[in-house]
Amino acid sequence: GQQPKELKHSLYMNEKVFFDLSGGDRDGYIAFRDALADEIADAGLMIKDYAVDSYHLAAKQAYGLFGGLIFMGVFLGVVFLAVTVLIIYFKQISEGYEDRERFVILKKVGMDDSLVRRTISAQVKWVFFLPLLAALVHTVFSTIMTVTMLKSFGMMNPSITISCAAITFAIFAVVYIIVYRLTARTYYGIVNK
C-alpha cells in the first residue's frame, strides 16, 4: 500500500505493509512489533527481507543515541565556556595589580573616579567583547554550514537549527556580559585601593 502521511501510530515492514495501531499505548505498539518480528522468524522468513520497524522504536533509539550526544555537547560547552571566562578574568585581574600604581599616579595628578571607571571599562571591554564578536562570526558561518549539511541529509527545517544557534549564542553572550561586569568591578576595586 501507500505510505501513510503520519507514521506515529503505524507499524511498517519494508515500507510496503503498514498496520494502523492508533488507539493503543506506546508499549502496546512495541509489543506488537516484537510479536510480529517473532512470527516472521518462526515462519522461517529472513528478517532482512521483512524488516519490521515502528515510529516508537525509532524514536526510542534516536533518543538513546542523540540524548548522550546532547549531554556531551552541553557538558563540553559549559566546560570550555568556564575555562575561557576564567582565563580572561584572571588575566584582567593580574593586569589590574600591575596597573594599580599607574592609576594611583593619574589620580594624584587629578583624574577623577568617573574617568577611572570609564577607562577601566573601555580597557576590559576590548578584552571581553573581541572574543564575543569572533564567536558571533563563527556561529553565523557554522550555522550556515550546518543548515547546508542538514539539507543534504533531507532535513528541510533550517529554522530549528538557526533558533538553536541563536539561543546558544545568547546564553554565551549573557554569561560573557556578567563576567565582564564582575571583572570591571573587581579591576576598579584593585586599582582604587
Side-chain angles (χ1 to χ4, degrees):
Q2 281 188 325
Q3 183 174 359
K5 291 185 184 330
E6 176 64 51
L7 295 177
K8 188 168 187 176
H9 300 294
S10 300
L11 183 77
Y12 50 97
M13 293 175 23
N14 284 356
E15 297 183 8
K16 293 180 182 161
V17 179
F18 297 92
F19 297 95
D20 183 14
L21 301 175
S22 59
D25 62 349
R26 185 179 71 85
D27 293 332
Y29 301 141
I30 294 173
F32 181 74
R33 179 228 173 258
D34 292 342
L36 185 61
D38 291 343
E39 287 294 325
I40 290 172
D42 290 344
L45 301 172
M46 298 297 287
I47 261 308
K48 65 182 171 108
D49 294 332
Y50 295 93
V52 181
D53 206 352
S54 71
Y55 169 84
H56 294 289
L57 185 64
K60 185 177 177 183
Q61 290 170 342
Y63 291 149
L65 173 67
F66 296 119
L69 290 175
I70 289 173
F71 173 77
M72 276 186 16
V74 168
F75 178 75
L76 290 175
V78 167
V79 167
F80 287 136
L81 177 63
V83 167
T84 303
V85 163
L86 287 174
I87 287 171
I88 293 173
Y89 175 80
F90 285 118
K91 180 185 180 301
Q92 285 300 298
I93 298 306
S94 66
E95 283 185 16
Y97 283 112
E98 293 172 7
D99 291 343
R100 180 173 33 191
E101 292 176 24
R102 291 184 198 113
F103 278 102
V104 168
I105 292 170
L106 288 172
K107 283 177 88 172
K108 286 181 181 176
V109 172
M111 187 177 197
D112 63 344
D113 279 345
S114 64
L115 189 56
V116 170
R117 281 188 189 274
R118 284 196 312 248
T119 304
I120 290 170
S121 179
Q123 179 180 340
V124 174
K125 198 178 290 184
W126 277 105
V127 173
F128 270 91
F129 289 107
L130 266 148
L132 191 61
L133 180 65
L136 176 63
V137 171
H138 283 129
T139 301
V140 167
F141 283 105
S142 69
T143 302
I144 292 169
M145 219 168 43
T146 302
V147 166
T148 304
M149 285 188 332
L150 288 175
K151 281 183 180 179
S152 71
F153 291 128
M155 298 176 189
M156 300 296 182
N157 192 354
S159 63
I160 293 173
T161 306
I162 293 168
S163 299
C164 289
I167 290 168
T168 302
F169 182 78
I171 292 169
F172 182 74
V174 166
V175 169
Y176 244 61
I177 290 169
I178 290 169
V179 175
Y180 156 73
R181 290 182 183 216
L182 176 68
T183 303
R185 186 179 302 136
T186 307
Y187 193 105
Y188 178 76
I190 290 169
V191 166
N192 215 21
K193 284 183 182 177

